[in-house]
Amino acid sequence: LAAEDQDPYKAGEALLSERLNEHWDTWVTRDDLSALAAAGVTHVRVPVPHWMLGDVQGAEPYLPGEWPYLARALDWCRELGLKVWIDLHTAPGSQNGFD
């Protein structure tokens, strides 16, 4: 058996990673951004999580991997003449003081 098949957590992490990569690969496409540009939109806001570059500590429940998809979207925006506002959508610790 593969190591991920022996450890249920690793198996779940592998499946989650696969599903997230499929989501990130299809959520926003070049065609979507092209349609926005054609409609006269000049700026797009891209929310990003604080763990995007892999700064995950210990048992934090975050699975990084978004970076290549952000880089691809930035390239598309540059090609299409769209300006990008990268918005840090999360921060370590509490977001609202209650969690």
Side-chain angles (χ1 to χ4, degrees):
L1 289 174
E4 61 269 8
D5 293 332
Q6 297 173 17
D7 181 345
Y9 177 78
K10 289 293 182 189
E13 187 177 287
L15 180 60
L16 177 58
S17 181
E18 180 182 320
R19 289 188 177 166
L20 282 173
N21 280 294
E22 181 180 330
H23 166 70
W24 293 325
D25 196 41
T26 59
W27 182 250
V28 174
T29 67
R30 189 180 192 290
D31 287 344
D32 295 327
L33 295 170
S34 182
L36 291 172
V41 171
T42 59
H43 292 69
V44 294
R45 175 183 161 263
V46 180
V48 299
H50 73 276
W51 63 84
M52 180 179 249
L53 295 177
D55 186 22
V56 178
Q57 305 297 315
E60 290 180 326
Y62 309 120
L63 189 61
E66 306 93 337
W67 183 255
Y69 302 100
L70 174 62
R72 180 179 71 181
L74 293 174
D75 286 342
W76 290 338
C77 287
R78 187 177 305 112
E79 292 169 10
L80 296 166
L82 292 168
K83 306 291 185 205
V84 178
W85 172 14
I86 296 177
D87 177 19
L88 182 59
H89 194 61
T90 64
S94 177
Q95 301 304 300
N96 60 21
F98 299 107
D99 51 325

